Amino acid sequence: MTTGLHPGEAPQDPRPTEHPTPLLPVQERVGHAHPLVENRTRSSVITARAAASFEPVGRSVATARSFVRDTLQGWGFADIVDDAVVLTSELVTNAVVHAGTAADVLCLRIEDGVRVEVADRYPEREIALQSAPVNMGSPDREGGRGLQLCAALATRWGVEYTPTHKQVWFQLDLPERPVGTRAAGPSLPAALLPLADGRVRVAVIQIDRSGSITAWNEDAEDLFGYPAEQVVGKPLTDLAAWPHTPGTSTGIVEALQLSRWEGSYGIRGANGRVTPVYASHLRVRDTEGDPSTVCLLVRNHERAVLQTPLRGSSSPDTVTASESQNTDPFEVFIGSPAPDDLDGLLQRTVERARDMLDGDAAFLLLATDDETELEVRASTGLPSARQRFARVPVEAGPGRYSSARMPAVHDDLSAVPGAVPLMSGTGMRSVVTVPLKVEGRLTGSLGVAAEAPGRYSNEEALRLQFAADRIALAVESARLGELERLRRGSLSFLVEASDLLAGTLDRDQTLALMAQMTIPTLATWCAVYTIADQASEPYLSYVLHEDEDRIDGLKALLSKIQPPDPIPTPGARVWSAPSEAAHQAALRQSMRSLGLNEPTTVSSGIGTTLATASAVGGETVVLPLVARNRVIGMLTLGKPSDEHFRQEILELAEDLSRRAALALDNARLYSERMAISQSLQRSLLPPGLPDIDGVEVDVIYRAAGEGNEVGGDFYDLFPIRDGAYGFAIGDVCGTGPNAAAVTGLARHALRLLAREGLSGPMVLDRLNSAILDEGDRGRFLTLLYGELWPQEDGGALLKVVCAGHPLPLRLRQDGTVEPAAEPQPLLGVMEELDLYEQEVRLDPGDVLLCVTDGVTERREGSRMLGDDGLADVLTGCTGLTAGAVAARIMRAVERFASDAPSDDMAILTMRVPGLQKD
């Protein structure tokens, strides 16, 4: 094929000025629906031309289509490209297939459109000279269809003859546009217009130079659910789901720095769901010169509102014929400008490969790092299940020798089933595949397929291999760039995930974080199975889907099937049970809705829906959660129907599973330790307070330290004998479990000794000896111990011993407060103690307040509540019940300082109710 382009000059007519044979007369109007057929309009000014010659072989038709499409798109004639390509395809087919000669195609850019001339070298094939309207015959017949299409689609068309050529030409005029119109499309029936909601909402968001939102209109609030005051000042990346998705070619931070950008991403709404949007970004400056970005966003299915029509190069007319001969073969194949992202480059490659070999489908696979598998990254003309990220082994992939490392041609796949696994069930019969190699290393495989058998030979394989060699380096360079961006994103993702997992020791919260970090970044749905011990079966602990409406159905489905085997082998393995069960359940439901008998192969009892089956119908993988050489669970990730995981995502998921397993095991160990500690601590608390006739009693207890229910402070109230009760409130040196051990010793020893009939001083003396016997494990103890006898006259008699403890305070009915005992030595320090009892009488309406030093030593900076402060608070409690007094004391202690208490606190109040008046 030869091409030439001559900008800015009128074409020189290559035909002789005198014709030995007469030209075909001008055809008159053919019916009312057809435009005029006439000779070239010589008055039109030609501003650019592009010419190419095509050999008389079948593949030339596809090459001619690409030539015309690229030329017209380069001139900015996107409105008429499709009609021009259709007409060119038919006319070149007539030349190279039916006439059997080479075809010359000339494209002329004129003021109001384009003129395309297709000439063959078989002038004897004329059409009859007519003066009546032309009858083109049936549109179903093989011959003459090109002229029928010209009559139907072209603004003007005609046929000219010379002794050596026959030429058919057509002219397409650009649609009229209002002044200032940059792009316009044809008038379409209402059924063909893009679908939108009743009211199209365009969110207008302005982002400052730091990436923070400065403006948020009403449509943005309606689309995403956030009021303006909630999001203004926050980075857009906090709302966008796309930047956290590995594998994207451009991050949103980079997109906001570009002068102009269009594309799709997701915005996480106030309800937690991700709304796919199509965005148009424009970088502007304000009056002070500060840059910002204006973002227009619509729902993704309404993208036609904002999307700019794609166009090719705008200046192909600057390329001369000599320059075109020196064009890089890569540019010849892929077109110019080449896509700057990997997905765009691969998609352009398969489309050009299909057109070059006039195929029905094409595909391109990229090799994994270890060159053991090939992953589908782009395809055209294949079912959706064969499109993205499906994988085949290299040594059993496409190829005559069961290897993708060699070119291969398959004449008829029906004769060799399974020769090309990717083509199974697609209806393709003939396939040609070639490897992509860089420096001798396999990087991918490119293939073209056709529905008819015997379409390809070694000649097509050589042409495709030549094209593959031209693009291999560019594809590998783009792949490495994408891989580098993916790894940077993966590193950021893992750092953030590690921080989140390290921030909690709660098992349930760890499970929730594991699932929430994978959805939707790594998968569409996630399930976490946990294993309590080696003898236990895996248990379904957490299920999450990016669509909250699917969670219940997914959970019901997974609960009815056997969990995956807890295999400790690292890496992801495919688990087909969920998709098979979902498909069977959906089939069962469909047949029941049709009134048909249920097949015996369908599992019963799985209450799912067709939507659930579609949600889990794709690839499902299981990753073991291994911590401390033991499988503690499985992380299950899934995709919807016909979708596969890409290898890089699986590697990232494996890294995440290792971190998540350790975090989950740490949470388990912490939970077990806390459960044991709290169970032991609860055993140190009194089972309950006895009811004492004529005396109100209430207790408030707070242990310092996270997870502690009992510390160094303790209390007790218990019956000694009929009509007598023992009470105690004490404080062991220190806090936490070590202090709680002495607490248990003291509380149980007090009950045992008091019920032996010993007096208060003797009880404390025996307890002191028991503490000293503990040796280094013993701790000194302050203790207020007493015995209580309710009196028949309505009062109460108390005998108390205050061993180094804060003195009890008595509140009288007149509001006076006084100590109710004298201080004596504390326990656990000296072997010989000289302790004595003191009697205290509570009259009706009196209150006895007993506290530990955590109350009196409450501090705020240099200030301390102290005994005087406590007495001041108690003075205002006249007339309150015992419970109200305890509550008011605790409230005053908490409000005294802003920090959380650092010491254990116990408050014991006893009150004798006042006498009832007649």
Side-chain angles (χ1 to χ4, degrees), residues 3 97 110 124 515 614 624 676 746:
T3 62
V97 176
I110 57 179
E124 292 82 6
S614 176
I676 294 172

Side-chain angles (χ1 to χ4, degrees), residues 5-350:
L5 195 64
H6 309 279
E9 64 178 11
Q12 300 296 324
D13 195 342
R15 294 180 291 276
T17 55
E18 296 182 1
H19 306 284
T21 56
L23 296 177
L24 182 71
V26 176
Q27 299 288 343
E28 300 296 329
R29 182 181 300 272
V30 183
H32 295 289
H34 296 287
L36 292 177
V37 183
E38 60 185 27
N39 288 326
R40 177 186 301 179
T41 306
R42 300 293 181 179
S43 60
S44 299
V45 177
I46 298 173
T47 58
R49 63 165 59 189
S53 296
F54 303 93
E55 299 174 354
V57 292
R59 63 177 178 269
S60 295
V61 178
T63 310
R65 289 198 299 263
S66 299
F67 164 72
V68 173
R69 181 179 297 277
D70 289 347
T71 299
L72 268 60
Q73 285 184 339
W75 289 346
F77 292 170
D79 302 288
I80 57 176
V81 163
D82 293 336
D83 288 349
V85 169
V86 169
L87 295 177
T88 303
S89 179
E90 289 296 330
L91 297 179
V92 173
T93 300
N94 290 339
V96 301
V97 176
H98 301 302
T101 74
D104 299 324
V105 179
L106 175 65
C107 297
L108 303 174
R109 186 174 68 182
I110 57 179
E111 294 175 329
D112 54 352
V114 66
R115 176 185 173 107
V116 179
E117 301 177 357
V118 180
D120 62 34
R121 299 166 189 177
Y122 198 175
E124 292 82 6
R125 296 174 60 87
E126 301 179 0
I127 62 174
L129 179 63
Q130 299 181 17
S131 58
V134 178
N135 180 12
M136 295 296 180
S138 171
D140 295 329
R141 65 177 190 154
E142 184 67 18
R145 199 163 51 192
L147 300 182
Q148 285 183 300
L149 287 174
C150 287
L153 300 178
T155 307
R156 300 180 181 84
W157 67 279
V159 183
E160 298 178 1
Y161 289 94
T162 71
T164 58
H165 289 77
K166 181 191 74 179
Q167 177 179 276
V168 181
W169 62 270
F170 61 87
Q171 179 174 324
L172 296 172
D173 291 344
L174 292 174
E176 293 185 3
R177 301 175 182 173
V179 176
T181 301
R182 182 185 176 196
S187 299
L188 294 175
L192 299 180
L193 296 176
L195 185 64
D197 292 342
R199 176 193 167 195
V200 177
R201 292 173 172 84
V202 180
V204 181
I205 307 173
Q206 191 156 0
I207 312 298
D208 63 15
R209 66 193 313 165
S210 66
S212 299
I213 299 172
T214 59
W216 183 271
N217 72 340
E218 293 181 359
D219 280 358
E221 179 178 343
D222 187 82
L223 283 174
F224 310 122
Y226 299 105
E229 57 271 14
Q230 185 176 348
V231 296
V232 170
K234 291 185 177 181
L236 181 61
T237 51
D238 288 357
L239 307 180
W242 178 41
H244 307 295
T245 304
T248 54
S249 59
T250 304
I252 195 167
V253 175
E254 293 86 352
L256 290 174
Q257 300 301 317
L258 300 177
S259 61
R260 183 180 292 274
W261 182 87
E262 283 188 29
S264 298
Y265 49 87
I267 295 292
R268 190 176 301 279
N271 58 2
R273 298 184 181 180
V274 175
T275 300
V277 298
Y278 188 81
S280 176
H281 297 177
L282 178 64
R283 193 80 164 159
V284 297
R285 285 188 307 164
D286 60 18
T287 55
E288 297 179 357
D290 292 331
S292 63
T293 302
V294 177
C295 306
L296 305 182
L297 287 74
V298 296
R299 293 185 180 92
N300 201 50
H301 66 273
E302 298 169 342
R303 63 193 305 164
V305 176
L306 299 179
Q307 190 170 23
T308 301
L310 298 176
R311 295 182 180 271
S313 175
S314 60
S315 58
D317 52 343
T318 60
V319 183
T320 63
S322 61
E323 289 172 338
S324 66
Q325 295 175 356
N326 298 324
T327 303
D328 185 349
F330 169 77
E331 295 291 346
V332 172
F333 176 71
I334 208 66
S336 181
D340 58 357
D341 64 299
L342 178 61
D343 291 338
L345 177 62
L346 299 184
Q347 194 60 37
R348 178 84 66 87
T349 297
V350 295

Side-chain angles (χ1 to χ4, degrees), residues 536-601:
S536 301
E537 291 293 325
Y539 174 74
L540 182 61
S541 298
Y542 201 90
V543 176
L544 185 65
H545 194 284
E546 65 178 7
D547 185 353
E548 295 179 356
D549 295 337
R550 301 281 180 264
I551 294 178
D552 292 339
L554 178 59
K555 187 181 298 183
L557 174 69
L558 294 177
S559 63
K560 298 295 183 179
I561 62 178
Q562 288 294 326
D565 296 330
I567 300 175
T569 305
R573 70 181 190 273
V574 176
W575 185 35
S576 59
S579 60
E580 292 176 356
H583 291 158
Q584 289 182 358
L587 176 61
R588 176 175 175 267
Q589 182 180 7
S590 298
M591 298 189 69
R592 185 171 60 246
S593 65
L594 295 174
L596 303 176
N597 294 328
E598 299 175 5
T600 57
T601 59

Side-chain angles (χ1 to χ4, degrees), residues 617-760:
E619 188 174 36
T620 302
V621 296
V622 178
L623 298 105
L625 298 174
V626 181
R628 298 175 176 90
N629 298 321
R630 186 174 73 88
V631 180
I632 63 172
M634 286 87 70
L635 177 64
T636 303
L637 305 178
K639 288 281 191 179
S641 294
D642 299 333
E643 290 195 21
H644 300 265
F645 289 96
R646 59 185 303 177
Q647 188 63 33
E648 293 84 359
I649 294 296
L650 294 180
E651 293 173 359
L652 179 58
E654 185 177 358
D655 286 340
L656 175 64
S657 68
R658 287 195 290 266
R659 290 164 169 79
L662 187 59
L664 183 61
D665 198 46
N666 288 339
R668 178 187 63 83
L669 294 175
Y670 179 78
S671 299
E672 290 178 355
R673 185 183 72 83
M674 290 302 301
I676 294 172
S677 175
Q678 291 173 359
S679 177
L680 292 175
Q681 290 183 54
R682 280 193 295 270
S683 68
L684 303 179
L685 294 174
L689 297 178
D691 293 330
I692 303 176
D693 293 336
V695 179
E696 298 175 359
V697 180
D698 197 75
V699 174
I700 294 180
Y701 182 84
R702 300 284 173 82
E706 181 182 359
N708 290 331
E709 293 191 10
V710 175
D713 291 5
F714 69 95
Y715 68 93
D716 202 358
L717 180 64
F718 54 92
I720 299 175
R721 50 190 174 272
D722 292 342
Y725 297 85
F727 66 92
I729 182 168
D731 184 2
V732 179
C733 175
T735 60
N738 293 330
V742 179
T743 298
L745 172 64
R747 195 176 70 80
H748 292 295
L750 284 174
R751 287 198 173 206
L752 178 64
L753 296 172
R755 287 169 178 171
E756 290 293 327
L758 301 178
S759 64

Side-chain angles (χ1 to χ4, degrees), residues 702 704 806 851-867 869-870 873 889-905 907:
R702 300 284 173 82
V851 300
T852 58
D853 61 4
V855 174
T856 57
E857 294 179 2
R858 176 73 162 147
R859 294 180 179 273
E860 173 68 16
S862 60
R863 297 186 306 118
M864 185 172 71
L865 180 62
D867 295 334
L870 180 62
V873 177
I889 297 298
M890 178 57 70
R891 186 163 58 250
V893 171
E894 291 175 342
R895 291 178 177 178
F896 186 80
S898 58
D899 296 337
S902 58
D903 195 4
D904 303 328
M905 292 187 294
I907 301 173

